[in-house]
């Protein structure tokens, strides 16, 4: 006599909700470890800038190129502008007109000689301005921070880059004198498309050496630093003219205060 085999009842298919719940349960236990790993990697990435680059080498050695110069060259190559070259001429600080030195510090970092690389008042002012205007209208970076960004980093805007920049800025301020930082800055910053440093900028825009710059020329050069690819010192732009007038007024007052016999 044949035995009848009853069909084995099939297992009900797992619902989509059940699969997602199972998957979440699997990954939920791993998330803290993943976050911890990312945190450790981020800390190590920033920490390496406590020993690299060798900023002490800048005490006596003038950099032949900067990260910003290389970034521009890469941009030109991507745009097919292979014949474009960087114009750069090193100038000692003592061979740069005091008009230019004062104009740039007035425009970019008026508390440069007083702070230690970070201007907390300037950062607060920049944050308030950004909140008022609802956009990133001001950055609050000091001359030391801008120098470090030009020498070692790119224009990329990220928290990680700012942290790296802060570490190297602290090291630069501890390794170099203020006058050396300023000399490096004036010789490395961008003053136009392919124009880097005051030596190249002074000859390009005014056909003279940096030592011969007048107060108005110095104010015009300082006025375009926030956006040197869009503005030029000799342009008829209303924005450049307004910025030049404001800087020039402050520069003239500063020169008058510093003049021999001045009561200031």
């Amino acid at each position: 006599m044949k035995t009848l085999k009853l069909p084995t009842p099939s297992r009900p298919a797992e619902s989509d909700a059940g699969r997602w719940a199972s998957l979440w349960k699997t990954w939920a236990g791993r998330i803290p470890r993943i976050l911890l790993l990312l945190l450790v990697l981020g800390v190590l990435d920033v920490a390496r800038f406590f020993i690299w680059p060798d900023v002490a080498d800048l005490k006596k050695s003038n950099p032949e190129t900067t990260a910003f110069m290389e970034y521009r060259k890469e941009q030109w190559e991507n745009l097919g502008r292979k014949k474009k070259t960087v114009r750069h001429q090193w100038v000692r600080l003592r061979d740069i007109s005091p008009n230019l030195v004062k104009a740039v510090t007035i425009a970019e970092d008026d508390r440069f000689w007083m702070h230690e690389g970070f201007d907390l008042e300037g950062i607060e002012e920049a944050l308030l301005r950004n909140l008022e205007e609802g956009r990133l209208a001001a950055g609050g970076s000091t001359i030391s921070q801008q120098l470090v960004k030009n020498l070692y980093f790119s224009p990329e805007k990220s928290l990680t880059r700012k942290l790296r920049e802060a570490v190297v800025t602290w090291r630069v301020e501890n390794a170099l004198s203020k006058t050396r930082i300023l000399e490096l800055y004036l010789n490395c910053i961008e003053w136009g498309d392919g124009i880097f440093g005051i030596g190249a900028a002074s000859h390009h825009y005014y056909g003279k050496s940096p030592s011969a710059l007048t107060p108005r020329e110095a104010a015009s050069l300082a006025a375009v630093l926030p956006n040197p690819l869009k503005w030029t010192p000799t342009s008829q732009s209303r924005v450049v003219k307004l910025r030049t007038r404001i800087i020039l007024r402050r520069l003239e007052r500063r020169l008058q205060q510093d003049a021999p016999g001045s009561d200031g």
Side-chain angles (χ1 to χ4, degrees):
M1 188 174 180
K2 264 187 172 183
T3 305
L4 293 175
K5 289 186 178 180
L6 297 175
T8 305
S10 60
R11 215 170 153 186
E14 188 178 9
S15 67
D16 287 344
R19 284 198 301 271
W20 280 111
S22 177
L23 189 61
W24 169 251
K25 188 176 180 180
T26 302
W27 280 96
R30 299 177 184 176
I31 287 175
R33 282 178 288 174
I34 293 171
L35 291 176
L36 180 61
L37 177 61
L38 291 174
L39 178 62
V40 170
L41 290 174
V43 169
L44 290 175
D45 178 60
V46 173
R48 66 193 172 101
F49 286 91
F50 279 99
I51 56 175
W52 183 91
D54 183 10
V55 298
D57 190 50
L58 295 172
K59 288 181 181 179
K60 296 180 180 179
S61 176
N62 298 329
E64 294 181 4
T65 187
T66 68
F68 249 60
M69 291 179 192
E70 296 307 313
Y71 175 81
R72 289 296 179 224
K73 289 177 186 176
E74 188 177 331
Q75 274 192 326
W76 298 334
E77 188 172 346
N78 292 338
L79 292 170
R81 301 167 65 186
K82 295 182 180 180
K83 292 184 179 180
K84 188 73 178 174
T85 58
V86 166
R87 280 171 283 178
H88 182 241
Q89 177 187 342
W90 195 272
V91 184
R92 294 172 300 182
L93 188 62
R94 64 174 177 264
D95 295 327
I96 300 174
S97 168
N99 295 325
L100 189 280
V101 174
K102 287 182 169 64
V104 169
T105 52
I106 286 169
E108 293 294 291
D109 185 1
D110 207 14
R111 288 182 280 267
F112 170 72
W113 299 103
M114 296 177 283
H115 64 65
E116 296 180 356
F118 307 95
D119 183 4
L120 298 181
E121 290 182 40
I123 293 171
E124 184 180 353
E125 289 170 5
L127 286 173
L128 289 172
R129 183 178 167 192
N130 291 336
L131 288 172
E132 287 173 0
E133 300 192 18
R135 63 187 181 92
L136 292 175
S141 293
T142 63
I143 280 176
S144 302
Q145 288 174 283
Q146 291 180 53
L147 170 64
V148 166
K149 182 174 70 174
N150 274 267
L151 283 175
Y152 304 116
F153 301 103
S154 72
E156 171 204 7
K157 292 182 179 180
S158 69
L159 178 59
T160 305
R161 196 219 77 197
K162 293 297 288 185
L163 289 173
R164 295 168 182 164
E165 178 189 294
V167 171
V168 182
T169 299
W170 173 76
R171 292 178 58 215
V172 162
E173 279 279 338
N174 281 276
L176 308 178
S177 67
K178 283 287 190 180
T179 52
R180 179 57 175 164
I181 291 173
L182 191 57
E183 181 178 65
L184 287 163
Y185 175 77
L186 293 175
N187 277 284
C188 292
I189 51 173
E190 193 172 32
W191 247 301
D193 189 20
I195 302 168
F196 286 86
I198 188 56
S202 183
H203 283 97
H204 177 76
Y205 294 114
Y206 298 110
K208 59 173 68 174
S209 67
S211 62
L213 290 168
T214 66
R216 178 169 292 279
E217 291 166 345
S220 296
L221 283 161
V224 304
L225 286 177
N227 200 338
L229 295 184
K230 181 180 178 181
W231 302 332
T232 60
T234 55
S235 75
Q236 298 303 308
S237 163
R238 285 186 295 176
V239 176
V240 174
K241 285 184 175 182
L242 176 60
R243 286 181 57 83
T244 299
R245 283 199 299 271
I246 293 171
I247 296 169
L248 183 59
R249 281 199 298 267
R250 295 177 63 187
L251 173 60
E252 288 172 340
R253 286 199 299 267
R254 195 71 53 86
L255 291 171
Q256 189 175 16
Q257 291 169 0
D258 294 344
S262 171
D263 295 333

